Amino acid sequence: MTLILFLGVGVVAGLLAGMLGVGGGIVIVPVLLTAFHYLDVAPGVTAHLAIGTSLATIVFTSLSAIRAQQRKRAIDWPLVFALVPSVIIGSFLSGYVAGSIPGNLLRTLFGGFLVLAGVQLLLNWRPGGHRGLPGRVGLWVSGGVIGMVSALVGIGGGTLTVPFLSWCNVEMKRAVAASSTLGFGLALFGATGFVLAGWGHPELPSWSLGYVYLPAWLGISATAVLFAPLGVRLSHALPVATLKRVFGVLLLLVAVRMLLFR
């Protein structure tokens, strides 16, 4: 049953990664938190394990989405290359930052993030695109913040990257493609940081590589990589406003459960 759960989560995560550029972590992390509770994982490491595992799955999901976006020639590579160094640095450092944060606090931070993400999707809110991209220093600072915060809560970065790029007057589909591409470096180095930060932790369950739970990583990745290209096709063919609102309600319900029912 647990394996079926992981495979099903991978389907949803892949679709979301391709369609919205969000990496799928906003679904993966809450489900893993619940799964780890029933697997009797030590409460002190469940949040770290869920977030690290989520980042590890996004590595493969984002690669699948990148391939599909590149086929449609939707990726603005100069924009990606301008942001990726600081995104990688911020995401790598997040693993060490998370290692010093208590599990309950990390869970609360993720619940609060879900509230903000849910409201954003529910209202279809984006900052007004009335300006251009900042200079090199501004892009480095913005990329570092996106990388640090996104990896700290186990997402691919789209929930922060897409609004930021829209605010800088970048067209929506171009912003989603860039977000999916940046998600690879963010997830790869963020997951590496979580692996190193959790290496040898005595409370981790068997089949863990640092703060990455290998059975969940393999199960979710297996289906996510198959469905990410479908999400990309849907993002180019269908309006996503309704999907965003429905998903926003789901995020708020998950956030309430996480924050109120420990």
Side-chain angles (χ1 to χ4, degrees), residues 124-147:
N124 199 28
W125 175 83
R126 287 185 295 156
H130 60 279
R131 63 183 69 194
L133 290 164
R136 181 176 297 180
V137 175
L139 285 175
W140 269 73
V141 172
S142 302
V145 171
I146 289 171

Side-chain angles (χ1 to χ4, degrees), residues 12-108:
V12 178
L15 287 172
L16 291 174
M19 179 174 287
L20 303 177
V22 297
I26 46 182
V27 170
I28 296 171
V29 174
V31 171
L32 288 182
L33 286 171
T34 302
F36 291 156
H37 172 73
Y38 287 104
L39 291 173
D40 293 323
V41 175
V45 299
T46 53
H48 302 79
L49 195 62
I51 291 172
T53 304
S54 172
L55 289 170
T57 63
I58 293 170
V59 172
F60 293 98
T61 305
S62 59
L63 278 176
S64 182
I66 289 170
R67 183 182 179 188
Q69 292 284 10
Q70 181 61 19
R71 286 177 176 173
K72 294 184 176 294
R73 301 185 182 277
I75 301 174
D76 185 337
W77 287 107
L79 174 59
V80 171
F81 290 142
L83 282 168
V84 73
S86 56
V87 167
I88 285 174
I89 293 172
S91 63
F92 181 74
L93 294 176
S94 70
Y96 292 94
V97 173
S100 63
I101 299 176
N104 283 336
L105 178 57
L106 196 59
R107 185 184 179 102
T108 300

Side-chain angles (χ1 to χ4, degrees), residues 141-225:
V141 172
S142 302
V145 171
I146 289 171
M148 173 72 77
V149 175
S150 299
L152 194 59
V153 295
I155 61 171
T159 308
L160 299 178
T161 307
V162 173
F164 167 70
L165 293 178
S166 298
W167 184 59
C168 296
N169 211 21
V170 175
E171 191 266 332
M172 183 65 176
K173 291 182 179 180
R174 182 174 158 224
V176 169
S179 172
S180 297
T181 309
L182 288 168
F184 170 71
L186 189 159
L188 177 63
F189 285 88
T192 300
F194 271 79
V195 168
L196 296 176
W199 194 268
H201 196 295
E203 292 184 315
L204 288 172
S206 301
W207 301 101
S208 294
L209 186 66
Y211 288 128
V212 174
Y213 186 57
L214 297 178
W217 171 55
L218 292 172
I220 295 171
S221 298
T223 49
V225 297

